[in-house]
Amino acid sequence: MSHDSGNGAPVAPSNFLRGIIEADQRSGKYAGRVDRQGVALPSVITRFPPEPNGYLHIGHAKSICLNFGLARDYGGRCHLRFDDTNPTKEEQEYVDTIIDSVEWLGFSWRDTQGEHKYFASDHFDLMYEMAEWLVNAGYAYVDSQSAEEMAANRGSFSEPGKNSRFRDRPAEESLDLLRKMKAGAFKDGAHILRAKIDMASPNMNMRDPAIYRIRHAHHHRTGDKWCIYPMYDYAHPVSDAIENVSHSICTLEFQDHRPFYDWILARLAEGKFFPQPLPEQFEFARLNLTYAITSKRKLLQLVEEKIVDGWDDPRMPTIVGIRRRGYTPSAIQLFAERIGVAKSDSWIDMSVLEGALRDDLDPTAPRSVAVLNPLKLIIDNYPEGQSEPCSAPVHPHHPERGHRHFPLSRELWIEREDFMEVPSKGYFRLFPGNRVRLRYGFVVECTGFDKDEAGNITAVHCTYFADSKSGTDGANNYKVKGNIHWVSAVHAVHAEVRLYDRLFKDPHPDASGKDFKQALNPNAKVVIHAYLEPGAEQAKPEERFQFERHGYFVADSVDSTPGRPVFNRIVTLKDSWGG
Ligand code: ATP
Ligand code: MG
């Protein structure tokens, strides 16, 4: 949680990455750098590097908040870089949604020096030039082994690999083959460009990793210009260095790739492609969230099999989904701040995300009343056709925000659960003979109820005390234990409300190979028709409210229109999952 620095400015909590950046700033490691055009560079440049092959999810939000947040806090900048080196899986649709999601979260890749949105594919020419240099310098070779031979010669964790019989072919021969690969002379998989490092390295990633492969495929940005594409492990460090990134922050699974990251940049620095100091990679623990899945492949499956209503289904952990659900960017930033960054993997409970939303909205969301499961309450001694103006604060802690006004009349809607024919122990709400306060209105006494032939309660009857109105002197003469909410039946707004809950009922839906479809929560979406406080029909899409006693709700961004509102429940007021 943020604490106060003493001079009023909020200070983000410290973590190991902040420690590294602060130490680098103290030592001046990245101070005084200039770019290729001689323009001064900030001493902290981070990047968020999505592959445009899917929609971003809450795990990516952690990485976005971290990378953009560090840049902001240390006077640097953060680049949005699309790691688009895999032509067959990438699409413009994904580029567009990623841009939208980062902006919606409240971050920008623009600074006074311009736009810092890059594509790895923008660097393909330079990457290729570097590859030729590596071949000439003896740091890379074209391998012509078959895929089977290559796999067999790779060795295992316990056994060293074997050198390819092509490893020592002359540089000119490799260069000639590389150029022919580029020119389209070979089929996919016929040859591969590999770094020449050490086939006996205990780190498998250092056993002559592939740098370029042949892939006759159309790329969403470079079209058919290339039929060889750089491997991620090559493109990533090279893109970082081209963009003058200082701190390249990634998730833990890349720890074993760091030696190659350093090796390749050091070689290319020898070739004068990059100045010192080079970017450095640091790893942090990815976000694992209970009751959710964050595998792109499995999320795609939910969409394709129509288990959810698309990528932006409010039950989805995608950024477009949680946005439509009603989450605010500030709640997600607060969540990211609270979970912090660690160096070892762990699980974060869904209640932490939900709690951040509550804490974000509680101080700001206007209050309103909604009856979700309606039962008629008839005030028999209140005249028909008449109404009584009542009012309630827009926000209980902000009197300056004024009051909402709504009428009370003879027939009201109350929650079905606020009445019991035979009260259970400790039940203080309506039951025959008992008195409760109608919130912001009068005290009433229950006098009876109606039932249909099937035994269902169809209406409750009561009488009211005209001198008991909230806010009047008489109100204090009535001591009641129950306080229930209501809306006037003739004045209420009838609206569709979608009660959303966690998508899975199991905290670890896809743990150890389980079929996550078995763990779906059938009650994650319940559509009802509810009665809302007059005025709710004016809600604009994405406008949020606290419906008193129920939780936080938002006017749906797609289906809600002023006059015909549709609300989504973002989260209940209290955690019912015991998380
Ligand atoms: P893929 O399997 O397609 O690579 P990915 O989830 O790693 O999936 P990327 O587009 O490569 O997707 O991720 C972009 C950035 O977001 C990377 O730096 C990655 O480390 C980070 N990231 C992805 N998932 C998480 C997560 N669960 N928690 C934190 N950061 C994440
Ligand atoms: Mg990735």
Side-chain angles (χ1 to χ4, degrees), residues 48-51 53 57 59-60 62-63 251 284 286-287 294 296:
F48 171 64
E51 187 180 346
N53 64 351
H57 54 61
H60 296 113
K62 173 181 179 177
S63 176
T251 41
F284 72 101
R286 68 192 294 111
L287 170 67
T294 49
K296 281 182 190 168

Side-chain angles (χ1 to χ4, degrees), residues 25 39 67 86 121 154 200 257 281 358 401 461 511 541 570:
Q25 289 199 324
V39 179
N67 280 294
N86 189 353
S121 58
R154 204 161 170 246
H257 300 237
Q281 175 182 304
R358 292 188 189 103
R401 292 177 65 178
H461 291 268
I570 316 170

Side-chain angles (χ1 to χ4, degrees), residues 226-441:
W226 297 89
C227 63
I228 57 170
Y229 289 93
M231 303 300 289
Y232 178 87
D233 272 355
Y234 173 70
H236 195 87
V238 168
S239 299
D240 281 348
I242 292 173
E243 294 173 22
N244 300 298
V245 164
S246 56
H247 301 80
S248 178
I249 299 163
C250 61
T251 41
L252 284 175
E253 66 270 26
F254 289 98
Q255 203 159 3
D256 287 348
H257 300 237
R258 186 171 2 114
F260 180 67
Y261 185 104
D262 292 339
W263 183 91
I264 192 76
L265 292 188
R267 298 292 80 73
L268 292 168
E270 278 172 31
K272 302 280 179 271
F273 286 102
F274 305 124
Q276 299 281 354
L278 293 162
E280 272 193 59
Q281 175 182 304
F282 302 95
E283 305 88 15
F284 72 101
R286 68 192 294 111
L287 170 67
N288 296 310
L289 191 62
T290 60
Y291 300 95
I293 50 178
T294 49
S295 146
K296 281 182 190 168
R297 184 176 55 77
K298 292 174 188 165
L299 293 175
L300 179 68
Q301 205 179 332
L302 290 173
V303 172
E304 285 187 338
E305 295 180 18
K306 300 204 180 345
I307 293 166
V308 295
D309 308 324
W311 288 105
D312 70 345
D313 185 302
R315 291 166 290 182
M316 288 282 273
T318 50
I319 296 183
V320 289
I322 51 188
R323 174 179 181 178
R324 185 160 176 200
R325 173 75 164 259
Y327 271 85
T328 55
S330 44
I332 295 168
Q333 289 183 28
L334 180 63
F335 168 70
E337 204 175 284
R338 284 181 178 172
I339 61 176
V341 281
K343 283 197 235 186
S344 60
D345 276 317
S346 66
W347 284 84
I348 300 292
D349 198 85
M350 183 59 101
S351 61
V352 181
L353 178 62
E354 295 168 345
L357 192 270
R358 292 188 189 103
D359 291 346
D360 183 50
L361 286 189
D362 181 49
T364 58
R367 280 21 180 191
S368 191
V369 169
V371 174
L372 302 182
N373 187 9
L375 174 63
K376 190 64 79 62
L377 177 69
I378 302 166
I379 310 174
D380 290 306
N381 64 341
Y382 193 88
E384 261 176 76
Q386 208 171 298
S387 70
E388 176 83 18
C390 295
S391 70
V394 170
H395 192 286
H397 304 135
H398 294 285
E400 75 285 359
R401 292 177 65 178
H403 280 73
R404 307 125 56 189
H405 300 276
F406 42 86
L408 178 140
S409 64
R410 182 182 160 88
E411 297 200 357
L412 310 177
W413 292 115
I414 62 168
E415 297 292 346
R416 201 158 269 278
E417 63 175 41
D418 285 343
F419 173 78
M420 280 184 102
E421 186 178 345
V422 181
S424 54
K425 197 163 173 281
Y427 187 82
F428 298 121
R429 289 168 277 167
L430 273 182
F431 54 86
N434 195 38
R435 293 181 181 185
V436 298
R437 174 168 293 285
L438 297 175
R439 218 170 165 112
Y440 315 118

Side-chain angles (χ1 to χ4, degrees), residues 74-88:
Y74 292 100
R77 71 185 190 215
C78 179
H79 296 184
L80 173 61
R81 163 157 18 100
F82 291 96
D83 257 321
D84 56 348
T85 54
N86 189 353
T88 54

